PDB file of all heavy atoms in Angstrom:
ATOM      1  N   LEU A1142      14.425 -23.736  48.383  1.00 98.00           N
ATOM      2  CA  LEU A1142      14.092 -25.112  48.775  1.00 98.00           C
ATOM      3  C   LEU A1142      13.088 -25.089  49.910  1.00 98.00           C
ATOM      4  O   LEU A1142      12.177 -25.944  49.940  1.00 98.00           O
ATOM      5  CB  LEU A1142      15.393 -25.843  49.223  1.00 98.00           C
ATOM      6  CG  LEU A1142      16.307 -26.287  48.112  1.00 98.00           C
ATOM      7  CD1 LEU A1142      17.653 -26.742  48.660  1.00 98.00           C
ATOM      8  CD2 LEU A1142      15.673 -27.423  47.291  1.00 98.00           C
ATOM      9  N   TYR A1143      13.195 -24.151  50.784  1.00 97.00           N
ATOM     10  CA  TYR A1143      12.243 -24.027  51.891  1.00 97.00           C
ATOM     11  C   TYR A1143      10.809 -23.777  51.354  1.00 97.00           C
ATOM     12  O   TYR A1143       9.843 -24.345  51.789  1.00 97.00           O
ATOM     13  CB  TYR A1143      12.685 -22.939  52.866  1.00 97.00           C
ATOM     14  CG  TYR A1143      11.690 -22.661  53.961  1.00 97.00           C
ATOM     15  CD1 TYR A1143      11.531 -23.562  55.024  1.00 97.00           C
ATOM     16  CD2 TYR A1143      10.941 -21.489  53.972  1.00 97.00           C
ATOM     17  CE1 TYR A1143      10.644 -23.315  56.035  1.00 97.00           C
ATOM     18  CE2 TYR A1143      10.046 -21.212  54.987  1.00 97.00           C
ATOM     19  CZ  TYR A1143       9.903 -22.134  56.035  1.00 97.00           C
ATOM     20  OH  TYR A1143       9.028 -21.906  57.027  1.00 97.00           O
ATOM     21  N   TYR A1144      10.732 -22.863  50.349  1.00 96.00           N
ATOM     22  CA  TYR A1144       9.409 -22.604  49.735  1.00 96.00           C
ATOM     23  C   TYR A1144       8.860 -23.872  49.126  1.00 96.00           C
ATOM     24  O   TYR A1144       7.684 -24.171  49.240  1.00 96.00           O
ATOM     25  CB  TYR A1144       9.523 -21.505  48.662  1.00 96.00           C
ATOM     26  CG  TYR A1144       9.856 -20.113  49.164  1.00 96.00           C
ATOM     27  CD1 TYR A1144      10.436 -19.157  48.344  1.00 96.00           C
ATOM     28  CD2 TYR A1144       9.556 -19.756  50.470  1.00 96.00           C
ATOM     29  CE1 TYR A1144      10.685 -17.881  48.827  1.00 96.00           C
ATOM     30  CE2 TYR A1144       9.846 -18.495  50.950  1.00 96.00           C
ATOM     31  CZ  TYR A1144      10.390 -17.562  50.113  1.00 96.00           C
ATOM     32  OH  TYR A1144      10.687 -16.301  50.555  1.00 96.00           O
ATOM     33  N   LEU A1145       9.734 -24.607  48.389  1.00 97.00           N
ATOM     34  CA  LEU A1145       9.270 -25.823  47.720  1.00 97.00           C
ATOM     35  C   LEU A1145       8.792 -26.854  48.754  1.00 97.00           C
ATOM     36  O   LEU A1145       7.754 -27.543  48.553  1.00 97.00           O
ATOM     37  CB  LEU A1145      10.400 -26.440  46.894  1.00 97.00           C
ATOM     38  CG  LEU A1145      10.949 -25.572  45.734  1.00 97.00           C
ATOM     39  CD1 LEU A1145      12.065 -26.297  45.004  1.00 97.00           C
ATOM     40  CD2 LEU A1145       9.859 -25.171  44.759  1.00 97.00           C
ATOM     41  N   TYR A1146       9.500 -26.918  49.865  1.00 97.00           N
ATOM     42  CA  TYR A1146       9.166 -27.823  50.942  1.00 97.00           C
ATOM     43  C   TYR A1146       7.796 -27.448  51.569  1.00 97.00           C
ATOM     44  O   TYR A1146       6.948 -28.303  51.773  1.00 97.00           O
ATOM     45  CB  TYR A1146      10.298 -27.772  51.976  1.00 97.00           C
ATOM     46  CG  TYR A1146      10.029 -28.363  53.300  1.00 97.00           C
ATOM     47  CD1 TYR A1146       9.764 -29.717  53.455  1.00 97.00           C
ATOM     48  CD2 TYR A1146      10.099 -27.575  54.458  1.00 97.00           C
ATOM     49  CE1 TYR A1146       9.547 -30.273  54.709  1.00 97.00           C
ATOM     50  CE2 TYR A1146       9.873 -28.116  55.703  1.00 97.00           C
ATOM     51  CZ  TYR A1146       9.595 -29.447  55.827  1.00 97.00           C
ATOM     52  OH  TYR A1146       9.368 -30.002  57.065  1.00 97.00           O
ATOM     53  N   GLU A1147       7.637 -26.172  51.850  1.00 96.00           N
ATOM     54  CA  GLU A1147       6.365 -25.719  52.476  1.00 96.00           C
ATOM     55  C   GLU A1147       5.201 -25.909  51.505  1.00 96.00           C
ATOM     56  O   GLU A1147       4.101 -26.290  51.926  1.00 96.00           O
ATOM     57  CB  GLU A1147       6.490 -24.267  52.894  1.00 96.00           C
ATOM     58  CG  GLU A1147       7.342 -24.058  54.149  1.00 96.00           C
ATOM     59  CD  GLU A1147       6.784 -24.704  55.407  1.00 96.00           C
ATOM     60  OE1 GLU A1147       5.532 -24.835  55.500  1.00 96.00           O
ATOM     61  OE2 GLU A1147       7.580 -25.112  56.278  1.00 96.00           O
ATOM     62  N   LEU A1148       5.426 -25.698  50.193  1.00 96.00           N
ATOM     63  CA  LEU A1148       4.372 -25.894  49.231  1.00 96.00           C
ATOM     64  C   LEU A1148       4.036 -27.387  49.132  1.00 96.00           C
ATOM     65  O   LEU A1148       2.861 -27.772  49.047  1.00 96.00           O
ATOM     66  CB  LEU A1148       4.779 -25.360  47.850  1.00 96.00           C
ATOM     67  CG  LEU A1148       4.775 -23.844  47.732  1.00 96.00           C
ATOM     68  CD1 LEU A1148       5.414 -23.406  46.412  1.00 96.00           C
ATOM     69  CD2 LEU A1148       3.377 -23.291  47.814  1.00 96.00           C
ATOM     70  N   LYS A1149       5.089 -28.229  49.165  1.00 97.00           N
ATOM     71  CA  LYS A1149       4.860 -29.679  49.090  1.00 97.00           C
ATOM     72  C   LYS A1149       3.978 -30.143  50.256  1.00 97.00           C
ATOM     73  O   LYS A1149       3.096 -30.957  50.089  1.00 97.00           O
ATOM     74  CB  LYS A1149       6.206 -30.369  49.104  1.00 97.00           C
ATOM     75  CG  LYS A1149       6.151 -31.882  48.879  1.00 97.00           C
ATOM     76  CD  LYS A1149       7.582 -32.476  48.906  1.00 97.00           C
ATOM     77  CE  LYS A1149       7.582 -33.943  49.042  1.00 97.00           C
ATOM     78  NZ  LYS A1149       7.345 -34.641  47.773  1.00 97.00           N
ATOM     79  N   LYS A1150       4.241 -29.579  51.449  1.00 95.00           N
ATOM     80  CA  LYS A1150       3.409 -29.948  52.612  1.00 95.00           C
ATOM     81  C   LYS A1150       1.951 -29.557  52.386  1.00 95.00           C
ATOM     82  O   LYS A1150       1.056 -30.129  52.991  1.00 95.00           O
ATOM     83  CB  LYS A1150       3.935 -29.220  53.875  1.00 95.00           C
ATOM     84  CG  LYS A1150       5.251 -29.768  54.381  1.00 95.00           C
ATOM     85  CD  LYS A1150       5.489 -29.493  55.871  1.00 95.00           C
ATOM     86  CE  LYS A1150       5.819 -28.058  56.154  1.00 95.00           C
ATOM     87  NZ  LYS A1150       6.225 -27.767  57.518  1.00 95.00           N
ATOM     88  N   ARG A1151       1.743 -28.570  51.526  1.00 94.00           N
ATOM     89  CA  ARG A1151       0.370 -28.096  51.239  1.00 94.00           C
ATOM     90  C   ARG A1151      -0.178 -28.757  49.962  1.00 94.00           C
ATOM     91  O   ARG A1151      -1.174 -28.322  49.404  1.00 94.00           O
ATOM     92  CB  ARG A1151       0.372 -26.562  51.109  1.00 94.00           C
ATOM     93  CG  ARG A1151       0.626 -25.834  52.407  1.00 94.00           C
ATOM     94  CD  ARG A1151       1.015 -24.391  52.169  1.00 94.00           C
ATOM     95  NE  ARG A1151       1.092 -23.589  53.364  1.00 94.00           N
ATOM     96  CZ  ARG A1151       2.193 -23.530  54.174  1.00 94.00           C
ATOM     97  NH1 ARG A1151       3.248 -24.250  53.884  1.00 94.00           N
ATOM     98  NH2 ARG A1151       2.181 -22.771  55.246  1.00 94.00           N
ATOM     99  N   GLY A1152       0.584 -29.764  49.463  1.00 96.00           N
ATOM    100  CA  GLY A1152       0.069 -30.503  48.296  1.00 96.00           C
ATOM    101  C   GLY A1152       0.433 -29.938  46.949  1.00 96.00           C
ATOM    102  O   GLY A1152      -0.085 -30.335  45.917  1.00 96.00           O
ATOM    103  N   VAL A1153       1.358 -28.955  46.915  1.00 95.00           N
ATOM    104  CA  VAL A1153       1.747 -28.357  45.626  1.00 95.00           C
ATOM    105  C   VAL A1153       3.198 -28.727  45.341  1.00 95.00           C
ATOM    106  O   VAL A1153       4.091 -28.399  46.165  1.00 95.00           O
ATOM    107  CB  VAL A1153       1.624 -26.808  45.702  1.00 95.00           C
ATOM    108  CG1 VAL A1153       2.094 -26.163  44.400  1.00 95.00           C
ATOM    109  CG2 VAL A1153       0.202 -26.424  46.049  1.00 95.00           C
ATOM    110  N   GLU A1154       3.433 -29.439  44.277  1.00 96.00           N
ATOM    111  CA  GLU A1154       4.829 -29.861  43.973  1.00 96.00           C
ATOM    112  C   GLU A1154       5.333 -29.155  42.715  1.00 96.00           C
ATOM    113  O   GLU A1154       4.743 -29.276  41.661  1.00 96.00           O
ATOM    114  CB  GLU A1154       4.891 -31.383  43.798  1.00 96.00           C
ATOM    115  CG  GLU A1154       4.552 -32.089  45.081  1.00 96.00           C
ATOM    116  CD  GLU A1154       5.156 -33.494  45.184  1.00 96.00           C
ATOM    117  OE1 GLU A1154       6.221 -33.737  44.605  1.00 96.00           O
ATOM    118  OE2 GLU A1154       4.490 -34.316  45.799  1.00 96.00           O
ATOM    119  N   LYS A1155       6.388 -28.404  42.891  1.00 96.00           N
ATOM    120  CA  LYS A1155       7.010 -27.689  41.757  1.00 96.00           C
ATOM    121  C   LYS A1155       8.487 -27.680  41.906  1.00 96.00           C
ATOM    122  O   LYS A1155       9.065 -27.989  42.963  1.00 96.00           O
ATOM    123  CB  LYS A1155       6.506 -26.221  41.780  1.00 96.00           C
ATOM    124  CG  LYS A1155       5.044 -26.077  41.463  1.00 96.00           C
ATOM    125  CD  LYS A1155       4.669 -24.660  41.154  1.00 96.00           C
ATOM    126  CE  LYS A1155       3.152 -24.489  41.067  1.00 96.00           C
ATOM    127  NZ  LYS A1155       2.615 -25.027  39.823  1.00 96.00           N
ATOM    128  N   LYS A1156       9.179 -27.266  40.813  1.00 97.00           N
ATOM    129  CA  LYS A1156      10.614 -27.047  40.864  1.00 97.00           C
ATOM    130  C   LYS A1156      10.825 -25.546  41.149  1.00 97.00           C
ATOM    131  O   LYS A1156       9.851 -24.782  41.087  1.00 97.00           O
ATOM    132  CB  LYS A1156      11.251 -27.372  39.515  1.00 97.00           C
ATOM    133  CG  LYS A1156      11.259 -28.815  39.157  1.00 97.00           C
ATOM    134  CD  LYS A1156      11.944 -29.004  37.820  1.00 97.00           C
ATOM    135  CE  LYS A1156      11.869 -30.458  37.387  1.00 97.00           C
ATOM    136  NZ  LYS A1156      12.412 -30.642  36.051  1.00 97.00           N
ATOM    137  N   GLY A1157      12.048 -25.206  41.413  1.00 97.00           N
ATOM    138  CA  GLY A1157      12.345 -23.759  41.654  1.00 97.00           C
ATOM    139  C   GLY A1157      13.240 -23.269  40.588  1.00 97.00           C
ATOM    140  O   GLY A1157      14.024 -24.002  39.955  1.00 97.00           O
ATOM    141  N   LEU A1158      13.174 -21.951  40.336  1.00 96.00           N
ATOM    142  CA  LEU A1158      14.061 -21.327  39.342  1.00 96.00           C
ATOM    143  C   LEU A1158      14.521 -19.976  39.936  1.00 96.00           C
ATOM    144  O   LEU A1158      13.697 -19.121  40.250  1.00 96.00           O
ATOM    145  CB  LEU A1158      13.320 -21.106  38.036  1.00 96.00           C
ATOM    146  CG  LEU A1158      14.223 -20.905  36.841  1.00 96.00           C
ATOM    147  CD1 LEU A1158      14.958 -22.207  36.443  1.00 96.00           C
ATOM    148  CD2 LEU A1158      13.389 -20.424  35.663  1.00 96.00           C
ATOM    149  N   ILE A1159      15.836 -19.832  40.039  1.00 96.00           N
ATOM    150  CA  ILE A1159      16.378 -18.551  40.524  1.00 96.00           C
ATOM    151  C   ILE A1159      16.962 -17.808  39.298  1.00 96.00           C
ATOM    152  O   ILE A1159      17.764 -18.394  38.563  1.00 96.00           O
ATOM    153  CB  ILE A1159      17.512 -18.720  41.568  1.00 96.00           C
ATOM    154  CG1 ILE A1159      17.087 -19.632  42.681  1.00 96.00           C
ATOM    155  CG2 ILE A1159      17.925 -17.339  42.132  1.00 96.00           C
ATOM    156  CD1 ILE A1159      18.198 -19.909  43.690  1.00 96.00           C
ATOM    157  N   GLN A1160      16.548 -16.587  39.129  1.00 93.00           N
ATOM    158  CA  GLN A1160      17.042 -15.786  38.009  1.00 93.00           C
ATOM    159  C   GLN A1160      17.988 -14.749  38.566  1.00 93.00           C
ATOM    160  O   GLN A1160      17.633 -13.911  39.374  1.00 93.00           O
ATOM    161  CB  GLN A1160      15.829 -15.106  37.369  1.00 93.00           C
ATOM    162  CG  GLN A1160      16.160 -14.303  36.172  1.00 93.00           C
ATOM    163  CD  GLN A1160      14.925 -13.632  35.579  1.00 93.00           C
ATOM    164  OE1 GLN A1160      13.786 -13.947  35.952  1.00 93.00           O
ATOM    165  NE2 GLN A1160      15.142 -12.700  34.681  1.00 93.00           N
ATOM    166  N   TYR A1161      19.282 -14.839  38.154  1.00 94.00           N
ATOM    167  CA  TYR A1161      20.292 -13.881  38.581  1.00 94.00           C
ATOM    168  C   TYR A1161      20.448 -12.860  37.484  1.00 94.00           C
ATOM    169  O   TYR A1161      20.930 -13.197  36.380  1.00 94.00           O
ATOM    170  CB  TYR A1161      21.585 -14.574  38.919  1.00 94.00           C
ATOM    171  CG  TYR A1161      21.532 -15.388  40.166  1.00 94.00           C
ATOM    172  CD1 TYR A1161      21.618 -16.800  40.120  1.00 94.00           C
ATOM    173  CD2 TYR A1161      21.415 -14.808  41.400  1.00 94.00           C
ATOM    174  CE1 TYR A1161      21.563 -17.553  41.257  1.00 94.00           C
ATOM    175  CE2 TYR A1161      21.329 -15.552  42.562  1.00 94.00           C
ATOM    176  CZ  TYR A1161      21.406 -16.927  42.495  1.00 94.00           C
ATOM    177  OH  TYR A1161      21.355 -17.693  43.657  1.00 94.00           O
ATOM    178  N   THR A1162      20.014 -11.640  37.746  1.00 90.00           N
ATOM    179  CA  THR A1162      19.986 -10.645  36.671  1.00 90.00           C
ATOM    180  C   THR A1162      21.385 -10.175  36.260  1.00 90.00           C
ATOM    181  O   THR A1162      21.616 -10.002  35.066  1.00 90.00           O
ATOM    182  CB  THR A1162      19.082  -9.443  37.061  1.00 90.00           C
ATOM    183  OG1 THR A1162      19.553  -8.909  38.267  1.00 90.00           O
ATOM    184  CG2 THR A1162      17.678  -9.853  37.221  1.00 90.00           C
ATOM    185  N   LYS A1163      22.276  -9.904  37.230  1.00 90.00           N
ATOM    186  CA  LYS A1163      23.592  -9.407  36.895  1.00 90.00           C
ATOM    187  C   LYS A1163      24.360 -10.405  35.985  1.00 90.00           C
ATOM    188  O   LYS A1163      24.960 -10.006  34.977  1.00 90.00           O
ATOM    189  CB  LYS A1163      24.403  -9.169  38.146  1.00 90.00           C
ATOM    190  CG  LYS A1163      24.857  -7.733  38.298  1.00 90.00           C
ATOM    191  CD  LYS A1163      25.694  -7.552  39.532  1.00 90.00           C
ATOM    192  CE  LYS A1163      25.502  -6.112  40.001  1.00 90.00           C
ATOM    193  NZ  LYS A1163      26.013  -5.881  41.328  1.00 90.00           N
ATOM    194  N   GLU A1164      24.337 -11.651  36.382  1.00 92.00           N
ATOM    195  CA  GLU A1164      25.067 -12.660  35.607  1.00 92.00           C
ATOM    196  C   GLU A1164      24.257 -13.223  34.420  1.00 92.00           C
ATOM    197  O   GLU A1164      24.758 -14.031  33.668  1.00 92.00           O
ATOM    198  CB  GLU A1164      25.446 -13.808  36.523  1.00 92.00           C
ATOM    199  CG  GLU A1164      26.470 -13.502  37.603  1.00 92.00           C
ATOM    200  CD  GLU A1164      25.816 -13.140  38.909  1.00 92.00           C
ATOM    201  OE1 GLU A1164      24.608 -12.850  38.946  1.00 92.00           O
ATOM    202  OE2 GLU A1164      26.513 -13.187  39.955  1.00 92.00           O
ATOM    203  N   ARG A1165      23.023 -12.767  34.339  1.00 92.00           N
ATOM    204  CA  ARG A1165      22.126 -13.245  33.272  1.00 92.00           C
ATOM    205  C   ARG A1165      22.067 -14.763  33.191  1.00 92.00           C
ATOM    206  O   ARG A1165      22.336 -15.372  32.140  1.00 92.00           O
ATOM    207  CB  ARG A1165      22.516 -12.709  31.917  1.00 92.00           C
ATOM    208  CG  ARG A1165      22.358 -11.214  31.781  1.00 92.00           C
ATOM    209  CD  ARG A1165      22.990 -10.735  30.533  1.00 92.00           C
ATOM    210  NE  ARG A1165      23.007  -9.282  30.467  1.00 92.00           N
ATOM    211  CZ  ARG A1165      22.137  -8.532  29.778  1.00 92.00           C
ATOM    212  NH1 ARG A1165      21.188  -9.110  29.066  1.00 92.00           N
ATOM    213  NH2 ARG A1165      22.230  -7.255  29.783  1.00 92.00           N
ATOM    214  N   LYS A1166      21.832 -15.387  34.339  1.00 94.00           N
ATOM    215  CA  LYS A1166      21.738 -16.863  34.348  1.00 94.00           C
ATOM    216  C   LYS A1166      20.570 -17.300  35.217  1.00 94.00           C
ATOM    217  O   LYS A1166      20.199 -16.584  36.164  1.00 94.00           O
ATOM    218  CB  LYS A1166      23.028 -17.480  34.788  1.00 94.00           C
ATOM    219  CG  LYS A1166      23.406 -17.223  36.221  1.00 94.00           C
ATOM    220  CD  LYS A1166      24.669 -17.973  36.624  1.00 94.00           C
ATOM    221  CE  LYS A1166      24.961 -17.709  38.090  1.00 94.00           C
ATOM    222  NZ  LYS A1166      26.175 -18.335  38.556  1.00 94.00           N
ATOM    223  N   ASN A1167      20.060 -18.469  34.911  1.00 95.00           N
ATOM    224  CA  ASN A1167      18.998 -19.084  35.681  1.00 95.00           C
ATOM    225  C   ASN A1167      19.527 -20.348  36.328  1.00 95.00           C
ATOM    226  O   ASN A1167      20.309 -21.087  35.721  1.00 95.00           O
ATOM    227  CB  ASN A1167      17.796 -19.475  34.823  1.00 95.00           C
ATOM    228  CG  ASN A1167      17.120 -18.230  34.241  1.00 95.00           C
ATOM    229  OD1 ASN A1167      17.155 -17.159  34.835  1.00 95.00           O
ATOM    230  ND2 ASN A1167      16.488 -18.402  33.100  1.00 95.00           N
ATOM    231  N   GLU A1168      19.078 -20.624  37.547  1.00 96.00           N
ATOM    232  CA  GLU A1168      19.477 -21.878  38.196  1.00 96.00           C
ATOM    233  C   GLU A1168      18.254 -22.641  38.642  1.00 96.00           C
ATOM    234  O   GLU A1168      17.385 -22.076  39.316  1.00 96.00           O
ATOM    235  CB  GLU A1168      20.399 -21.592  39.400  1.00 96.00           C
ATOM    236  CG  GLU A1168      21.765 -21.227  38.959  1.00 96.00           C
ATOM    237  CD  GLU A1168      22.760 -21.101  40.129  1.00 96.00           C
ATOM    238  OE1 GLU A1168      22.465 -21.569  41.227  1.00 96.00           O
ATOM    239  OE2 GLU A1168      23.818 -20.496  39.886  1.00 96.00           O
TER     240      GLU A1168
END
Side-chain angles (χ1 to χ4, degrees):
L1142 284 169
Y1143 175 72
Y1144 291 158
L1145 299 180
Y1146 165 63
E1147 286 295 331
L1148 286 171
K1149 187 180 166 80
K1150 287 204 287 187
R1151 291 163 172 84
V1153 178
E1154 294 204 32
K1155 292 194 189 285
K1156 291 181 186 175
L1158 199 70
I1159 310 176
Q1160 182 181 350
Y1161 290 112
T1162 55
K1163 239 182 209 167
E1164 293 95 343
R1165 293 170 188 259
K1166 66 175 181 183
N1167 292 334
E1168 283 187 17

